[in-house]
Each structure stands twice: as C-alpha cells, then as structure tokens.
Amino acid sequence: MLQTESAAWREGFQRLVSDVGMGHAGIVMGLEVSRLARNNADWQRLLEICALADTLILDEDGVYDLSC
C-alpha cells in the first residue's frame, strides 16, 4: 500500500469516528469491522464512541449494541 493510500484510508476512519460521535450514524457495518482501525487503541476508541452515541455495530457474526 502506498503512503498516500494509507493516508486516505486514515482520513476515512477519522471521518467515520467523527460521524459516529456527532450522532450521524446509527450503525457501523462491515465484513470484519475490527479491521476498520489501524490498531487496538483506535478500535477501542471507535467502540467507546459507538457506545456513547448509541450506534450499533454489525459484522458477519451479528449486530452489537454497546450502549447496553
């Protein structure tokens, strides 16, 4: 992966986190959602924001409501 592609991917992840945090997303969907983040800290941050914003997470295994 080229550095510019990596930077573009990173901007996409930051936009996802921002949209979730502002309540603009009701669900985050992906085949392997744990791969959305570059590292565990980013993944944990996204999970925490989803919980605070009442945003569901969906992957091939099911739907997760972290706000419970």
Side-chain angles (χ1 to χ4, degrees):
M1 178 180 288
L2 297 173
Q3 187 68 16
T4 55
E5 291 173 333
S6 178
W9 173 253
R10 196 76 191 138
E11 288 175 18
F13 179 77
Q14 291 300 328
R15 179 168 179 207
L16 172 65
V17 170
S18 176
D19 285 347
V20 169
M22 291 188 295
H24 295 164
I27 189 167
V28 174
M29 300 184 302
L31 293 176
E32 273 187 71
V33 290
S34 64
R35 298 200 54 169
L36 288 173
R38 180 181 289 181
N39 57 48
N40 286 337
D42 286 346
W43 176 237
Q44 184 63 36
R45 178 176 166 223
L46 177 60
L47 292 178
E48 290 171 356
I49 292 171
C50 284
L52 292 171
D54 294 327
T55 300
L56 301 174
I57 296 180
L58 175 128
D59 67 11
E60 74 266 359
D61 294 325
V63 178
Y64 307 95
D65 184 352
L66 303 172
S67 65
C68 298

